[in-house]
Amino acid sequence: MSAAERDPGLQPERTRLAWRRTTLSCTVVALLAGKQALHGGASPAGIVALSLSVLAWLGFLRVANRRVQGMGTARPQQLGAREALMTAACTVALAVFAVAMLF
């Protein structure tokens, strides 16, 4: 069976849905960070952490959107090392900024 005849089944759709769920989770984290910053007294450190959280969320959103769009082909490209590193860095950054906002 050649690559042109490949039947990917539902795998690309499952992967696309997984990226969308993860994007939704990151969006909820960013919104909760904003709520915490606004209701927590809006200290300068909290505002910096919130700003960095928004930047990390936007970075993750960019990678996720590119992956979701790329899953529309019959033979999607693999996730590159650069995108994987960006995804991991944004996820860790969101966690670090969330902890910074609590203290």
Side-chain angles (χ1 to χ4, degrees):
M1 184 179 260
S2 70
E5 298 172 4
R6 178 178 179 268
D7 179 17
L10 294 177
Q11 188 272 329
E13 181 66 20
R14 287 192 306 269
T15 303
R16 188 174 330 150
L17 290 171
W19 275 101
R20 288 187 179 168
R21 282 190 307 270
T22 306
T23 302
L24 179 62
S25 297
C26 284
T27 302
V28 168
V29 168
L31 289 173
L32 288 174
K35 180 181 179 220
Q36 176 67 25
L38 293 175
H39 294 286
S43 68
I47 292 188
V48 169
L50 174 63
S51 300
L52 293 173
S53 294
V54 169
L55 285 175
W57 173 72
L58 288 172
F60 182 84
L61 192 64
R62 180 174 180 240
V63 172
N65 186 45
R66 293 178 88 191
R67 289 302 299 161
V68 167
Q69 296 299 321
M71 295 305 297
T73 63
R75 188 98 171 150
Q77 292 183 352
Q78 293 181 342
L79 181 66
R82 185 176 177 185
E83 289 87 8
L85 182 62
M86 178 80 161
T87 302
C90 289
T91 303
V92 170
L94 277 172
V96 169
F97 301 144
V99 169
M101 289 178 70
L102 292 175
F103 298 108

